[in-house]
């Protein structure tokens, strides 16, 4: 059995997808969302009610004027000092990896299925320095687990 954690929205079906998206919207609205350029392209438009930030080292990504383009995690960290809102890293895999040492809290939706052709995985150890701080049952066998970084 593979211990890697799949990151696949495609595994969610019907009501599950609706429940997860509603939780995501409720959690992130009024805050900032940071995504890589591939995630931006897959979403295709700014998420309403949020400060949208797209990371691109080359700057070679088209975004409308209301979307901020930054080049790396350090620029996001500097910007966050001046924001009066939370910052959510919403993907993709490269972006999660870039922020891995900076993230204080993971919000993970566990889904009850395994996807045979999943092509993106979180590292086995990405939650090693974290502990569960709360659980949220969304129904349809979906559980959101909030993990806080352990204090040293």
């Amino acid at each position: 059995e593979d211990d890697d954690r799949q990151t696949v929205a495609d595994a969610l079906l019907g009501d599950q997808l609706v429940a997860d998206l509603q939780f995501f919207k409720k959690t992130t609205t009024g805050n900032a969302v940071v995504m890589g350029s591939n995630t931006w392209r897959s979403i295709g438009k700014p998420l309403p009610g949020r400060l949208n930030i797209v990371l691109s080292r080359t700057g070679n990504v088209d975004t409308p004027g209301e979307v901020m383009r930054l080049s790396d995690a350090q620029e996001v960290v500097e910007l966050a000092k001046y924001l009066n809102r939370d910052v959510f890293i919403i993907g993709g895999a490269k972006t999660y990896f870039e922020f891995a040492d900076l993230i204080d809290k993971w919000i993970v939706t566990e889904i009850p299925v395994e996807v045979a052709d999943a092509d993106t995985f979180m590292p086995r150890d990405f939650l090693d320095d974290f502990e569960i701080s709360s659980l949220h049952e969304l129904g349809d066998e979906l559980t959101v687990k909030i993990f806080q970084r352990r204090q040293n």
Side-chain angles (χ1 to χ4, degrees):
E1 178 177 79
D2 196 344
D3 288 336
D4 285 357
R5 309 251 178 170
Q6 295 173 312
T7 58
V8 285
D10 294 341
L12 298 175
L13 303 171
D15 292 340
Q16 291 177 326
L17 180 58
V18 170
D20 191 47
L21 288 175
Q22 285 174 340
F23 180 83
F24 174 82
K25 182 178 181 180
K26 179 180 161 199
T27 303
T28 60
T29 295
N31 293 296
V33 291
V34 177
M35 66 197 90
S37 55
N38 289 336
T39 299
W40 164 253
R41 286 183 194 99
S42 72
I43 295 172
K45 62 181 182 182
L47 296 175
R50 288 155 271 212
L51 172 61
N52 288 253
I53 302 168
V54 176
L55 293 184
S56 173
R57 280 186 176 65
T58 64
N60 191 15
V61 60
D62 290 327
T63 57
E66 70 268 24
V67 174
M68 293 188 77
R69 252 189 324 202
L70 299 177
S71 62
D72 59 30
Q74 193 54 45
E75 287 187 0
V76 174
V77 169
E78 288 303 312
L79 174 65
K81 293 176 184 177
Y82 301 98
L83 296 177
N84 59 350
R85 58 184 81 188
D86 290 331
V87 177
F88 290 89
I89 311 305
I90 65 168
K94 287 188 235 173
T95 304
Y96 290 135
F97 182 78
E98 187 172 352
F99 283 88
D101 293 336
L102 304 171
I103 291 174
D104 294 322
K105 178 169 56 174
W106 283 98
I107 303 173
V108 178
T109 303
E110 292 194 346
I111 57 175
V113 295
E114 217 170 287
V115 177
D117 59 348
D119 62 357
T120 305
F121 298 87
M122 297 300 291
R124 294 175 200 265
D125 61 352
F126 87 103
L127 291 172
D128 282 359
D129 295 332
F130 292 79
E131 58 193 6
I132 293 177
S133 64
S134 63
L135 296 169
H136 304 275
E137 296 292 335
L138 300 184
D140 292 311
E141 299 182 69
L142 290 181
T143 303
V144 174
K145 293 183 178 180
I146 312 293
F147 294 86
Q148 286 286 151
R149 187 177 293 276
R150 288 188 185 96
Q151 301 300 314
N152 294 332

